[in-house]
PDB file of all heavy atoms in Angstrom:
ATOM      1  N   LYS J 466     179.475  36.362 -15.976  1.00  0.00           N
ATOM      2  CA  LYS J 466     180.757  36.900 -15.469  1.00  0.00           C
ATOM      3  C   LYS J 466     181.634  35.815 -15.037  1.00  0.00           C
ATOM      4  O   LYS J 466     181.324  35.055 -14.124  1.00  0.00           O
ATOM      5  CB  LYS J 466     180.475  37.870 -14.369  1.00  0.00           C
ATOM      6  CG  LYS J 466     181.849  38.329 -13.654  1.00  0.00           C
ATOM      7  CD  LYS J 466     181.514  39.320 -12.540  1.00  0.00           C
ATOM      8  CE  LYS J 466     182.833  39.629 -11.710  1.00  0.00           C
ATOM      9  NZ  LYS J 466     182.550  40.554 -10.584  1.00  0.00           N
ATOM     10  N   ILE J 468     185.049  35.863 -13.834  1.00  0.00           N
ATOM     11  CA  ILE J 468     186.317  36.271 -13.285  1.00  0.00           C
ATOM     12  C   ILE J 468     186.823  35.147 -12.364  1.00  0.00           C
ATOM     13  O   ILE J 468     186.231  34.859 -11.329  1.00  0.00           O
ATOM     14  CB  ILE J 468     186.203  37.622 -12.458  1.00  0.00           C
ATOM     15  CG1 ILE J 468     185.742  38.733 -13.363  1.00  0.00           C
ATOM     16  CG2 ILE J 468     187.555  37.947 -11.788  1.00  0.00           C
ATOM     17  CD1 ILE J 468     186.790  39.187 -14.509  1.00  0.00           C
ATOM     18  N   ASP J 471     189.324  37.317  -8.437  1.00  0.00           N
ATOM     19  CA  ASP J 471     189.238  38.781  -8.429  1.00  0.00           C
ATOM     20  C   ASP J 471     190.125  39.328  -7.267  1.00  0.00           C
ATOM     21  O   ASP J 471     189.596  39.342  -6.093  1.00  0.00           O
ATOM     22  CB  ASP J 471     187.778  39.221  -8.328  1.00  0.00           C
ATOM     23  CG  ASP J 471     187.646  40.768  -8.320  1.00  0.00           C
ATOM     24  OD1 ASP J 471     188.605  41.475  -8.556  1.00  0.00           O
ATOM     25  OD2 ASP J 471     186.516  41.201  -7.977  1.00  0.00           O
ATOM     26  N   LYS J 478     192.111  44.252  -3.199  1.00  0.00           N
ATOM     27  CA  LYS J 478     191.141  43.987  -2.137  1.00  0.00           C
ATOM     28  C   LYS J 478     191.952  43.736  -0.793  1.00  0.00           C
ATOM     29  O   LYS J 478     193.105  43.323  -0.937  1.00  0.00           O
ATOM     30  CB  LYS J 478     190.299  42.758  -2.468  1.00  0.00           C
ATOM     31  CG  LYS J 478     189.267  42.954  -3.489  1.00  0.00           C
ATOM     32  CD  LYS J 478     188.477  41.681  -3.728  1.00  0.00           C
ATOM     33  CE  LYS J 478     187.432  41.819  -4.761  1.00  0.00           C
ATOM     34  NZ  LYS J 478     186.352  42.766  -4.415  1.00  0.00           N
ATOM     35  N   MET J 486     186.965  35.114  -3.513  1.00  0.00           N
ATOM     36  CA  MET J 486     186.905  35.635  -4.827  1.00  0.00           C
ATOM     37  C   MET J 486     187.236  34.650  -5.936  1.00  0.00           C
ATOM     38  O   MET J 486     187.240  34.964  -7.095  1.00  0.00           O
ATOM     39  CB  MET J 486     187.798  36.944  -4.926  1.00  0.00           C
ATOM     40  CG  MET J 486     187.145  38.128  -4.303  1.00  0.00           C
ATOM     41  SD  MET J 486     185.554  38.537  -5.028  1.00  0.00           S
ATOM     42  CE  MET J 486     184.424  38.126  -3.713  1.00  0.00           C
ATOM     43  N   ASP J 489     184.048  34.320  -8.045  1.00  0.00           N
ATOM     44  CA  ASP J 489     183.723  35.456  -8.865  1.00  0.00           C
ATOM     45  C   ASP J 489     183.414  35.020 -10.296  1.00  0.00           C
ATOM     46  O   ASP J 489     183.176  35.903 -11.177  1.00  0.00           O
ATOM     47  CB  ASP J 489     184.801  36.550  -8.818  1.00  0.00           C
ATOM     48  CG  ASP J 489     184.172  37.912  -8.944  1.00  0.00           C
ATOM     49  OD1 ASP J 489     182.957  38.091  -8.686  1.00  0.00           O
ATOM     50  OD2 ASP J 489     184.913  38.876  -9.301  1.00  0.00           O
ATOM     51  N   ASN J 521     191.509  38.808 -12.708  1.00  0.00           N
ATOM     52  CA  ASN J 521     191.798  40.190 -12.366  1.00  0.00           C
ATOM     53  C   ASN J 521     192.973  40.304 -11.354  1.00  0.00           C
ATOM     54  O   ASN J 521     192.821  40.064 -10.181  1.00  0.00           O
ATOM     55  CB  ASN J 521     190.536  40.859 -11.731  1.00  0.00           C
ATOM     56  CG  ASN J 521     190.648  42.374 -11.523  1.00  0.00           C
ATOM     57  OD1 ASN J 521     191.449  43.040 -12.190  1.00  0.00           O
ATOM     58  ND2 ASN J 521     189.877  42.899 -10.643  1.00  0.00           N
ATOM     59  N   ASP J 548     188.753  47.385  -9.302  1.00  0.00           N
ATOM     60  CA  ASP J 548     187.974  46.279  -8.649  1.00  0.00           C
ATOM     61  C   ASP J 548     186.532  46.203  -9.203  1.00  0.00           C
ATOM     62  O   ASP J 548     185.832  45.309  -8.988  1.00  0.00           O
ATOM     63  CB  ASP J 548     187.992  46.510  -7.163  1.00  0.00           C
ATOM     64  CG  ASP J 548     187.637  45.193  -6.379  1.00  0.00           C
ATOM     65  OD1 ASP J 548     187.555  44.157  -7.044  1.00  0.00           O
ATOM     66  OD2 ASP J 548     187.379  45.331  -5.182  1.00  0.00           O
ATOM     67  N   GLU J 550     185.547  45.375 -12.028  1.00  0.00           N
ATOM     68  CA  GLU J 550     186.019  44.747 -13.240  1.00  0.00           C
ATOM     69  C   GLU J 550     184.902  43.963 -13.924  1.00  0.00           C
ATOM     70  O   GLU J 550     184.927  43.746 -15.188  1.00  0.00           O
ATOM     71  CB  GLU J 550     187.210  43.821 -13.008  1.00  0.00           C
ATOM     72  CG  GLU J 550     186.933  42.413 -12.506  1.00  0.00           C
ATOM     73  CD  GLU J 550     186.190  42.340 -11.203  1.00  0.00           C
ATOM     74  OE1 GLU J 550     186.215  43.379 -10.438  1.00  0.00           O
ATOM     75  OE2 GLU J 550     185.550  41.295 -10.898  1.00  0.00           O
ATOM     76  N   GLY J 551     183.907  43.482 -13.197  1.00  0.00           N
ATOM     77  CA  GLY J 551     182.876  42.576 -13.731  1.00  0.00           C
ATOM     78  C   GLY J 551     182.184  43.301 -14.875  1.00  0.00           C
ATOM     79  O   GLY J 551     181.961  42.729 -15.981  1.00  0.00           O
ATOM     80  N   THR J 575     178.354  37.877 -10.160  1.00  0.00           N
ATOM     81  CA  THR J 575     178.648  38.214  -8.785  1.00  0.00           C
ATOM     82  C   THR J 575     179.226  39.656  -8.867  1.00  0.00           C
ATOM     83  O   THR J 575     180.455  39.841  -8.743  1.00  0.00           O
ATOM     84  CB  THR J 575     179.703  37.249  -8.169  1.00  0.00           C
ATOM     85  OG1 THR J 575     180.782  37.118  -9.144  1.00  0.00           O
ATOM     86  CG2 THR J 575     179.147  35.864  -7.909  1.00  0.00           C
ATOM     87  N   LEU J 576     178.345  40.598  -9.019  1.00  0.00           N
ATOM     88  CA  LEU J 576     178.805  41.923  -9.450  1.00  0.00           C
ATOM     89  C   LEU J 576     179.172  42.892  -8.374  1.00  0.00           C
ATOM     90  O   LEU J 576     180.216  43.564  -8.505  1.00  0.00           O
ATOM     91  CB  LEU J 576     177.743  42.599 -10.402  1.00  0.00           C
ATOM     92  CG  LEU J 576     178.392  43.630 -11.363  1.00  0.00           C
ATOM     93  CD1 LEU J 576     179.336  42.979 -12.261  1.00  0.00           C
ATOM     94  CD2 LEU J 576     177.303  44.256 -12.177  1.00  0.00           C
TER      95      LEU J 576
HETATM   96 ZN1   ZN S 408     184.530  40.794  -9.281  1.00  0.00          ZN
END
Side-chain angles (χ1 to χ4, degrees):
K466 170 179 173 182
I468 298 297
D471 181 12
K478 286 182 181 296
M486 284 302 110
D489 214 19
N521 188 22
D548 198 10
E550 85 297 340
T575 47
L576 204 60

